[in-house]
Amino acid sequence: MIGADVAERLAAAKLWLVSQSAGDMPYLSTAVYALVTVPTERVARMSTDVYWRLYVNPLWVLGADVDALAREIAHQVWHLLADHAGRATDCGVDAASRDRWKMAADLTIGEVLPFDAGLPQPRQVHQAPNRSAEEYFRLLRARPVTKPPLGLDPDRTCGSGSDGMAREHDLPPGDAEMPGLSTQAAEAIRKTVAIEFREHCTQYGSMPGEWGRWVGDILDPVVPWQQVLHAAVRRGIGWGQGQVDYTYSKISRRQQAVGAAIVPALRRPVPAVAVVVDTSGSVDDGLLAQALGEVKSVLASLAVPDSSVTVLAVDAAVHTVQQVRDVREVRLTGGGGTDMGVGIAGALACRPAPQTVIVLTDGYTPWPTMPVPVPVIVGVLGRRRDQCPRRRAGCSGWK
């Protein structure tokens, strides 16, 4: 049980940390108030574990200044927010390399704290700033390190919350009195802090490179486009595998058991999909090759043997309409202006009518202003996200 005097000093330190007139880190409030405090004299000052339990030495807490407590809490919280424990496991950190990992992680934390917490700075160990903990760790392992300049931090470890290696004082995961946080709760806290941290940096300053990547990884994860396209196609055609519909056009295999009654057989409908490929002059050979690769992905996503799709080569007019079962059969022609509305109209005129239309374009095209009767999936081809055009006014009602 934590003493009242220790609890009061920790509460004062957290308030100092998130107050604009003191620590000025209000975006950390969700994280610091989620910590589960565990008093123990088995740590020198303060450490954490992967379950967001904060182990504190009561004697040190009572003897330290409030701002010093706050700086150390911020230091420990950033270890948890950055998931340094999980990343250390991925890097193969062991007992021999634990100290270098701690220094690598502390180098990144020192860049994000707006005050001096006694953490090492990259220049002190002859490293360039704004690198990831993994990069610092690799560089530090490549050369011998003697007596790392750990500054004011006499505790050589920050606990298992920093490197993922359990300490003797760590409580078990399901401890009845101090259960800690679940993985899902920790991820929710990271997302909340990332949102507030990004907003704070937008208003008041710049974001260090490593922590900009951290925010981007949490809030703007890059999802493999193959998975997105696969899911969009299946959602668009609303179709699943297996025998899903009845038909009297063929004899049921149970017909002999029912005598004169006519029993319908099950059938598996094959979805009709049309792919409109932008072949205008603004689409170069590299983007066309990317389009063909995505046509191949569409064929695979149907998961039907001998399935085919209708491929239309379109610039400002429909040049070719092909029913293909293999991407090698596709022939793309064009090279003029761009109007994917013409291509969508051409796809809807095909017979059988498509259940889904997929448009692969570089995005520099007008779009239909009227709703289309079938789902339309648009794949914007490009090499970088920031080079792709944003949604245009003519298609503001599209999702």
Side-chain angles (χ1 to χ4, degrees):
M1 180 65 70
I2 188 170
D5 49 354
V6 173
E8 288 178 1
R9 292 190 66 79
L10 290 175
K14 293 176 181 178
L15 184 61
W16 185 95
L17 189 62
V18 302
S19 298
Q20 189 172 7
S21 58
D24 193 23
M25 303 180 78
Y27 43 85
L28 287 186
S29 58
T30 302
V32 298
Y33 286 106
L35 293 170
V36 179
T37 305
V38 180
T40 175
E41 295 182 359
R42 303 181 69 181
V43 299
R45 302 196 309 184
M46 191 177 289
S47 70
T48 57
D49 67 12
V50 296
Y51 302 102
W52 287 63
R53 286 180 290 219
L54 182 69
Y55 299 92
V56 298
N57 188 319
L59 296 177
W60 178 74
V61 171
L62 294 175
D65 294 334
V66 169
D67 60 335
L69 289 175
R71 296 169 201 269
E72 187 58 25
I73 291 174
H75 169 202
Q76 298 293 338
V77 162
W78 277 114
H79 277 308
L80 299 174
L81 289 171
D83 189 23
H84 282 152
R87 293 162 63 182
T89 302
D90 293 340
C91 289
V93 174
D94 53 19
S97 57
R98 187 171 66 186
D99 289 345
R100 290 176 183 174
W101 173 258
K102 168 185 162 52
M103 176 181 287
D106 283 352
L107 287 173
T108 65
I109 295 176
E111 294 174 331
V112 76
L113 294 179
F115 41 70
D116 182 12
L119 299 178
Q121 297 298 317
R123 289 184 178 82
Q124 292 179 273
V125 290
H126 311 291
Q127 301 294 338
N130 295 328
R131 285 176 167 161
S132 67
E134 288 81 357
E135 289 176 295
Y136 285 131
F137 181 61
R138 178 176 56 82
L139 294 169
L140 292 172
R141 292 189 73 177
R143 62 188 181 88
V145 178
T146 58
K147 291 294 180 183
L150 294 178
L152 301 177
D153 183 6
D155 192 350
R156 294 185 61 83
T157 72
C158 294
S160 56
S162 168
D163 53 36
M165 303 178 66
R167 305 297 197 272
E168 292 182 357
H169 61 264
D170 282 359
L171 296 177
D175 185 78
E177 296 184 1
M178 302 288 184
L181 301 187
S182 64
T183 303
Q184 294 76 14
E187 290 301 320
I189 292 171
R190 290 188 181 103
K191 187 171 184 178
T192 300
V193 173
I195 293 172
E196 296 178 353
F197 182 54
R198 171 184 280 179
E199 182 179 354
H200 181 86
C201 291
T202 302
Q203 294 178 353
Y204 298 103
S206 60
M207 187 183 300
E210 160 67 0
W211 298 101
R213 291 189 291 272
W214 173 76
V215 170
D217 289 343
I218 293 178
L219 301 183
D220 305 315
V222 178
V223 181
W225 62 264
Q226 295 90 341
Q227 297 179 12
V228 177
L229 181 62
H230 180 92
V233 170
R234 298 193 70 84
R235 184 171 59 252
I237 61 181
W239 170 85
Q241 295 188 36
Q243 308 288 332
V244 297
D245 200 2
Y246 289 97
T247 178
Y248 287 95
S249 62
K250 70 177 190 178
I251 301 175
S252 170
R253 61 188 179 91
R254 296 187 176 86
Q255 183 62 57
Q256 293 183 351
V258 297
I262 303 299
V263 179
L266 282 169
R267 71 184 181 93
R268 178 172 56 185
V270 178
V273 176
V275 181
V276 177
V277 180
D278 182 353
T279 58
S280 62
S282 60
V283 179
D284 58 28
D285 292 343
L287 293 181
L288 287 177
Q290 189 177 353
L292 291 177
E294 300 199 24
V295 170
K296 183 178 181 180
S297 176
V298 171
L299 285 166
S301 68
L302 297 178
V304 177
D306 297 328
S307 61
S308 63
V309 298
T310 302
V311 179
L312 298 90
V314 180
D315 49 17
V318 178
H319 287 279
T320 61
V321 180
Q322 298 174 270
Q323 194 77 21
V324 300
R325 288 183 169 80
D326 192 308
V327 69
R328 291 171 293 187
E329 302 171 7
V330 177
R331 297 291 180 269
L332 300 178
T333 59
T338 311
D339 189 349
M340 290 299 100
V342 173
I344 294 174
L348 296 177
C350 294
R351 293 294 178 270
Q355 296 168 266
T356 299
V357 176
I358 300 172
V359 181
L360 303 176
T361 174
D362 62 358
Y364 295 97
T365 173
W367 296 97
T369 56
M370 298 298 292
V372 179
V374 300
V376 177
I377 302 168
V378 178
V380 179
L381 305 174
R383 294 175 177 80
R384 290 173 47 187
R385 180 182 297 184
D386 56 357
Q387 294 177 347
C388 296
R390 300 291 184 183
R391 179 187 294 175
R392 296 190 169 187
C395 56
S396 58
W398 292 43
K399 295 181 178 179

